[in-house]
Amino acid sequence: MTTASAVSERGDIEDLSPNSAEIDCPSTSARVEESNKYIPKDSIETEDGINETGQLDHEVGGDTIEEPKSKMEFNSFEEVMTYYKQYAKNIGFGVMTRRTEKGDDGTVRYATLGCARGGKARNRTLNVARPRPTGKTECKSHINILKVDGKYHLTTVNNTHNHGLSPKKSRFFRCNREVSDSVKRVLDTNDLAGIRMNKSFGSLVVGVGGFENLPFLEKDCRNYIDKARHLRLGAGGAGALREYFERMQYKNPGFFASMDLDDDGRLKNVFWADPRSRAAYDSFGDVVTFDTTYLTNRYGMPFAPFVGVNHHGQSTLLGAGLISTEDTATFVWLFKTWLQCMDGIAPRAIITDQDRAMKNAIAIVFPQSRHRFCLWHILKKVPEKLSSYSAYKSGMKNALMKCVYDTQNVAEFESAWEQLISTYKLEENAWLKSLYTEREHWVPAFLKDTFWAGMSTTQRSESMNAFFDGYVHAKTNLKEFVDQFDNALKKKIENENNADFHSFSVTIPCISRSPIEKKFQELYTNAKFREVQRELQCLIDLAPELLKRDGGVKTYLVEDEVHVEDFTKLVTYSVDFSDVDTAANCSCGLFQMRGILCRHILVVFKCNGIKALPKQYILDRWRKDIKRRYTLINSSYDQGAQRADANRYSTLLNICYKMITHAAGSKKHTEDATQKLYSMIELYSDNQEPPSRTCTGSNVVPSIPDVSTCAGSDKVLSPLIVRGKGRPPSLRRASTMEKEIRKVRAKAKNATVKGKRKQRDGGDTPLPDTCRNLFGPSDKDTCDVGLSQLVEESSILEKCRTQRQGSMIGSQEMVCFPLDGSQPVDGSQPVDGG
């Protein structure tokens, strides 16, 4: 075979120089040897100038590919394709199939393979000022293949190109890019694990030692994953979601799902809960948080999870839903469905935001449950509602915080609130009025009689965002959203199992010789025992004083230092202690609200010589020695995305890893393993069975009984796009400048549409030759329309800018800017106007 290593030729070879530009003349690879003798020995010409031949030889790898010639013979069409693609890669051009004809037996009878830059360029964009790039140059290089007596012969060969060639860039051609099966396995695994594509591709680049060693690009990997997701998820709408629920209920009857449809069969709301979550509700269903502000999906449906707190203080999922609207009727449906899922047992307490529809629905469905607003959401609105007052930073904000945090009972709160309103003249503030009306739902002084499982205000909102971070992403379809939710749930269960392991295998040393601390160490999980120790550490600074004695009940005053950010303040708490049953009650309410004994009760126990911990202060929900029923339930996750041979692949891969570890330590063993592996590949390739394409979780589920919770067997339509709360952006009041510019753009758009409108006789209205009249005076020219539009918009902007400057000068004396940095107010109004 002769080597066709040169890639181009110019008519006058003598004029070549190191500074030569891109090749414009035809290049003929047939005249390789003749052209090479005129080129310097250490260089070769490409479309980018002159590159080193050392680089080219390294890229080609020293292989010699014979140049295509007429009457060459091949055994199969695949052999022809492989040969011509390899030849094109070494020379520096891409290959495309221009034409194929098949015979009666289904095999290729005739075909034409040519340069990928052949054919005419088609400008399919209407914007002539920004045409789309094209690689077509009408290159005539091609080969014709004809099947004769079972053999494939080259009948016509044309090796002449009318463009430059670059072997170094051959890997970028589409025909030379291919993602292997092994790489696809890695991409699938990483995608299911939630690893982003840029990270996966980066690991592949590092593994092969550089981008140039990969036979594909990052966008090829992205295209494969997009296709794989589509195959895994099917349509991804309501139909796929329903089939997923049916499949899960078929695997485990304890899986609960319900879909709410409208009269047209379109999905409105959906709720689901796995068996483990339903069983966990028996242990941790006393306090539940509910919120719809975490995530949405492609349809804009808010995600509505029910969340509890487990024995480690971690958030645990107790069911989830997707809703179409946030009104009272929707929340009533969701709460009733969740109550049905939990066997009609309502929670003792529930935490939500201030949503009026949620409050109404809770009063209807959970009339006996204690409803609490999230204090974090309320205090987040304080700057927005009160920062316009001049006294906001000079005392008003601190007074409000004292009302919330420093009042230990209802009487103290009422007194402090009345003083706040009268001092700063806030009687007419509507927001504060509404807060006071609903004070029993958010003020800590009103909530100390209810157990809240330690779910603090900030923890409630931040824990769930951290729970789903990295797993569930917005703008996904319904089925993909639920799949990502399953991945997050798996991680959450793994975190709980890890915490269980540490609580049983690791013991936190006691910091004192107190038998009470020793008892908590034996019974509580490590996370909760840490909270107990934080209270015990402060006992040394406390000195309780006996205030009074009423029969067998003693009342103590305990002065304590409370640290708030960088400040420390003294607060006095009262503790009632009974000598009869060793019961204690503190005004701080820590045990009632969080289930952890406070330092004030512990120091009173110490004063009264209490050595044994009373049983009423040991809560079962924090204990580590109790076997809970939900831990015995294995959650049945949907594994429908995996192919049937995935387990066999993983088994063989692990065996290969062991073999490689032993073989790589010796050159002799490496050569022997390489030889045997190639022999095995050849053996198994000859006896290859068709790959299994059956997915265990495909959209067709055999022999699955009807599921009543999925609303019958009719087709379920995907939901409509949901509009969130608040005023839509499209309804925002537009300025005069915006209105004028919209008119100009609408006028230009109508002018363009008229040029494309079809005539009534079926013919097309002829368009002007905009490419030739790009700068001409024709008023039909599209570019002139765009240019006039820009000129008109500029004049509007200048006019509005002049008007605005004049109005600002005229009204400048009417604007008053407070010195404290708050919002400017009208000079005619009082600065502190209530």
Side-chain angles (χ1 to χ4, degrees):
M1 288 186 174
T2 57
T3 303
S5 58
V7 295
S8 61
E9 177 191 8
R10 291 188 60 168
D12 47 347
I13 301 297
E14 293 81 358
D15 294 335
L16 283 175
S17 64
N19 297 323
S20 59
E22 183 179 359
I23 302 170
D24 297 324
C25 298
S27 58
T28 308
S29 58
R31 302 175 60 185
V32 171
E33 297 179 358
E34 181 180 354
S35 62
N36 272 351
K37 65 182 180 180
Y38 295 103
I39 300 178
K41 186 176 181 180
D42 59 345
S43 63
I44 189 164
E45 188 176 3
T46 67
E47 63 173 346
D48 297 320
I50 297 179
N51 291 339
E52 298 295 329
T53 56
Q55 297 176 356
L56 178 63
D57 292 339
H58 177 71
E59 182 181 12
V60 174
D63 295 336
T64 56
I65 304 296
E66 183 180 2
E67 186 180 54
K69 295 183 177 62
S70 181
K71 300 181 181 181
M72 291 182 69
E73 185 178 290
F74 299 88
N75 295 323
S76 64
F77 180 70
E78 289 75 16
E79 186 177 341
V80 180
M81 286 288 296
T82 302
Y83 157 76
Y84 196 61
K85 287 174 64 176
Q86 185 61 43
Y87 165 76
K89 184 176 181 180
N90 292 354
I91 295 302
F93 67 94
V95 175
M96 64 179 295
T97 303
R98 295 185 181 179
R99 177 185 177 186
T100 57
E101 291 182 5
K102 293 186 177 180
D104 296 337
D105 57 352
T107 61
V108 176
R109 186 186 67 86
Y110 176 82
T112 299
L113 304 179
C115 178
R117 303 190 69 176
K120 294 184 179 181
R122 297 180 182 179
N123 188 11
R124 299 180 180 178
T125 179
L126 297 176
N127 188 355
V128 296
R130 296 189 62 184
R132 295 180 60 181
T134 178
K136 301 297 183 180
T137 61
E138 301 186 34
C139 180
K140 304 300 182 183
S141 176
H142 71 280
I143 61 172
N144 292 335
I145 306 106
L146 180 64
K147 184 179 181 181
V148 180
D149 298 331
K151 300 287 185 178
Y152 288 85
H153 299 265
L154 302 188
T155 58
T156 305
V157 177
N158 184 348
N159 294 326
T160 304
H161 297 266
N162 64 353
H163 54 84
L165 305 172
S166 176
K168 188 176 181 180
K169 298 180 179 61
S170 293
R171 64 186 181 89
F172 292 101
F173 288 113
R174 186 180 302 173
C175 62
N176 296 327
R177 307 200 309 260
E178 181 181 5
V179 182
S180 63
D181 289 340
S182 59
V183 173
K184 290 178 181 178
R185 301 273 186 176
V186 174
L187 296 176
D188 282 331
T189 302
N190 291 349
D191 183 57
L192 292 174
I195 300 175
R196 300 186 184 277
M197 178 52 64
N198 61 332
K199 303 294 184 182
S200 297
F201 185 76
S203 66
L204 295 174
V205 172
V206 174
V208 299
F211 291 93
E212 64 279 2
N213 297 327
L214 280 179
F216 49 82
L217 305 179
E218 183 174 355
K219 68 177 182 180
D220 299 319
C221 299
R222 294 187 182 276
N223 292 339
Y224 167 73
I225 286 298
D226 290 341
K227 183 178 180 180
R229 287 176 179 172
H230 180 74
L231 294 176
R232 289 202 303 261
L233 306 174
L241 183 63
R242 175 182 176 177
E243 291 163 358
Y244 164 82
F245 287 153
E246 291 177 345
R247 189 163 59 248
M248 296 300 292
Q249 287 176 324
Y250 177 72
K251 293 179 180 179
N252 193 329
F255 187 92
F256 185 95
S258 181
M259 304 179 77
D260 182 28
L261 310 179
D262 60 13
D263 296 337
D264 298 327
R266 189 175 300 278
L267 180 66
K268 291 171 54 182
N269 313 297
V270 61
F271 170 82
W272 72 97
D274 69 295
R276 183 186 174 94
S277 298
R278 298 181 68 184
Y281 183 76
D282 295 339
S283 301
F284 310 121
D286 46 2
V287 180
V288 175
T289 65
F290 177 79
D291 200 355
T292 60
T293 60
Y294 300 121
L295 301 163
T296 58
N297 48 67
R298 178 179 297 174
Y299 301 98
M301 302 177 71
F303 177 53
F306 294 86
V307 182
V309 179
N310 65 9
H311 52 304
H312 300 286
Q314 301 170 336
S315 57
T316 182
L317 201 73
L318 304 175
L322 292 170
I323 57 179
S324 58
T325 56
E326 298 182 70
D327 55 13
T328 301
T330 299
F331 286 129
V332 167
W333 177 89
L334 184 62
F335 292 158
K336 285 185 176 180
T337 304
W338 181 70
L339 192 62
Q340 177 188 355
C341 173
M342 301 305 172
D343 300 324
I345 302 175
R348 287 190 292 176
I350 185 169
I351 304 175
T352 69
D353 57 21
Q354 284 183 279
D355 188 270
R356 186 67 54 189
M358 285 186 194
K359 181 182 177 182
N360 296 336
I362 290 173
I364 296 173
V365 183
F366 309 124
Q368 304 301 323
S369 300
R370 187 67 185 272
H371 184 199
R372 169 186 172 186
F373 293 154
C374 176
L375 186 58
W376 181 79
H377 276 105
I378 295 176
L379 297 182
K380 190 173 66 172
K381 298 178 182 178
V382 170
E384 174 189 351
K385 302 293 184 179
L386 302 179
S387 61
S388 60
Y389 292 91
S390 60
Y392 173 71
K393 294 184 178 181
S394 60
M396 181 190 298
K397 179 181 178 181
N398 292 336
L400 177 61
M401 295 300 108
K402 288 181 179 180
C403 289
V404 175
Y405 291 113
D406 290 356
T407 55
Q408 300 182 28
N409 52 59
V410 175
E412 290 182 7
F413 171 80
E414 297 288 355
S415 175
W417 186 270
E418 182 180 356
Q419 184 179 359
L420 168 70
I421 298 299
S422 60
T423 301
Y424 299 101
K425 298 180 176 59
L426 301 173
E427 293 83 359
E428 302 301 323
N429 189 287
W431 183 67
L432 291 178
K433 280 184 178 181
S434 64
L435 286 183
Y436 183 75
T437 302
E438 299 176 332
R439 59 191 181 280
E440 295 183 358
H441 293 282
W442 64 275
V443 178
F446 287 87
L447 302 170
K448 291 181 179 181
D449 59 340
T450 305
F451 176 67
W452 299 103
M455 182 64 76
S456 64
T457 53
T458 55
Q459 176 193 2
R460 177 185 159 276
S461 294
E462 295 173 356
S463 62
M464 284 306 298
N465 287 326
F467 176 28
F468 295 106
D469 184 31
Y471 292 94
V472 183
H473 308 293
K475 305 308 178 184
T476 59
N477 60 43
L478 296 178
K479 176 59 173 60
E480 188 174 7
F481 187 93
V482 175
D483 281 345
Q484 294 175 353
F485 170 83
D486 278 351
N487 291 333
L489 193 58
K490 295 176 188 177
K491 180 61 176 177
K492 198 65 181 175
I493 294 175
E494 179 63 19
N495 291 341
E496 181 177 334
N497 292 335
N498 186 44
D500 283 338
F501 168 75
H502 281 281
S503 293
F504 279 97
S505 61
V506 178
T507 301
I508 300 177
C510 293
I511 59 176
S512 69
R513 292 178 292 180
S514 170
I516 293 180
E517 182 186 8
K518 185 66 176 178
K519 191 66 175 179
F520 280 123
Q521 182 194 46
E522 295 175 358
L523 299 179
Y524 275 17
T525 61
N526 287 350
K528 289 302 169 181
F529 180 59
R530 287 286 192 191
E531 295 185 27
V532 173
Q533 282 192 329
R534 283 196 289 268
E535 298 299 319
L536 288 169
Q537 289 173 355
C538 303
L539 288 183
I540 192 173
D541 298 327
L542 302 180
E545 297 180 2
L546 181 60
L547 177 64
K548 64 179 181 178
R549 178 190 293 268
D550 186 5
V553 178
K554 302 176 183 178
T555 301
Y556 291 87
L557 295 181
V558 182
E559 189 178 60
D560 191 10
E561 289 185 353
V562 178
H563 300 276
V564 180
E565 296 180 353
D566 297 333
F567 301 95
T568 301
K569 59 182 179 180
L570 294 177
V571 180
T572 301
Y573 298 97
S574 63
V575 179
D576 295 330
F577 174 75
S578 174
D579 291 327
V580 179
D581 55 359
T582 65
N585 182 34
C586 182
S587 61
C588 72
L590 183 66
F591 180 76
Q592 291 85 348
M593 299 182 68
R594 298 179 61 91
I596 299 295
L597 269 182
C598 65
R599 65 193 73 170
H600 319 116
I601 293 180
L602 290 172
V603 74
V604 170
F605 281 171
K606 183 179 179 181
C607 291
N608 288 271
I610 304 298
K611 301 295 183 180
L613 182 65
K615 293 183 178 180
Q616 64 265 32
Y617 298 110
I618 301 176
L619 301 185
D620 289 344
R621 76 170 347 269
W622 304 137
R623 296 179 65 165
K624 63 183 179 181
D625 58 340
I626 295 179
K627 195 67 175 180
R628 294 174 174 86
R629 183 173 66 90
Y630 78 94
T631 60
L632 306 177
I633 299 177
N634 293 324
S635 294
S636 54
Y637 302 112
D638 186 28
Q639 301 296 335
Q642 295 184 0
R643 288 172 47 171
D645 57 353
N647 292 333
R648 298 195 298 269
Y649 180 89
S650 300
T651 301
L652 292 175
L653 187 62
N654 292 331
I655 297 174
C656 288
Y657 281 145
K658 295 180 181 179
M659 182 272 297
I660 293 171
T661 302
H662 296 293
S666 169
K667 181 178 180 181
K668 179 180 178 181
H669 292 168
T670 301
E671 294 175 353
D672 180 64
T674 303
Q675 181 181 359
K676 291 180 179 179
L677 286 174
Y678 276 118
S679 301
M680 295 171 64
I681 292 174
E682 184 177 357
L683 173 63
Y684 297 140
S685 299
D686 295 339
N687 301 315
Q688 181 69 40
E689 297 179 0
S692 173
R693 297 293 178 184
T694 304
C695 295
T696 58
S698 60
N699 290 336
V700 180
V701 184
S703 304
I704 293 183
D706 292 336
V707 182
S708 60
T709 53
C710 286
S713 59
D714 296 335
K715 181 179 179 181
V716 180
L717 302 179
S718 296
L720 299 174
I721 303 298
V722 175
R723 183 177 70 84
K725 291 184 176 181
R727 187 179 186 181
S730 59
L731 299 182
R732 179 178 59 85
R733 180 177 296 177
S735 63
T736 304
M737 178 177 63
E738 288 178 300
K739 293 179 180 178
E740 295 296 331
I741 290 179
R742 287 176 186 173
K743 291 180 182 179
V744 174
R745 292 178 177 174
K747 181 179 178 182
K749 183 178 180 180
N750 293 335
T752 305
V753 171
K754 288 180 181 179
K756 297 186 294 181
R757 187 173 299 159
K758 292 191 174 183
Q759 297 177 346
R760 293 184 180 272
D761 59 359
D764 292 338
T765 303
L767 293 175
D769 189 2
T770 55
C771 293
R772 296 184 180 180
N773 298 330
L774 187 60
F775 301 101
S778 175
D779 50 357
K780 292 184 180 181
D781 198 326
T782 306
C783 288
D784 282 355
V785 174
L787 185 61
S788 63
Q789 176 186 346
L790 290 175
V791 173
E792 191 168 353
E793 288 184 7
S794 300
S795 63
I796 293 174
L797 289 171
E798 184 64 28
K799 180 180 177 181
C800 293
R801 188 182 298 111
T802 304
Q803 294 177 351
R804 183 168 53 189
Q805 290 176 352
S807 62
M808 288 181 64
I809 295 174
S811 61
Q812 189 174 15
E813 58 186 11
M814 300 298 294
V815 180
C816 177
F817 292 89
L819 296 178
D820 60 352
S822 58
Q823 295 293 330
V825 297
D826 196 316
S828 61
Q829 300 294 332
V831 177
D832 61 345

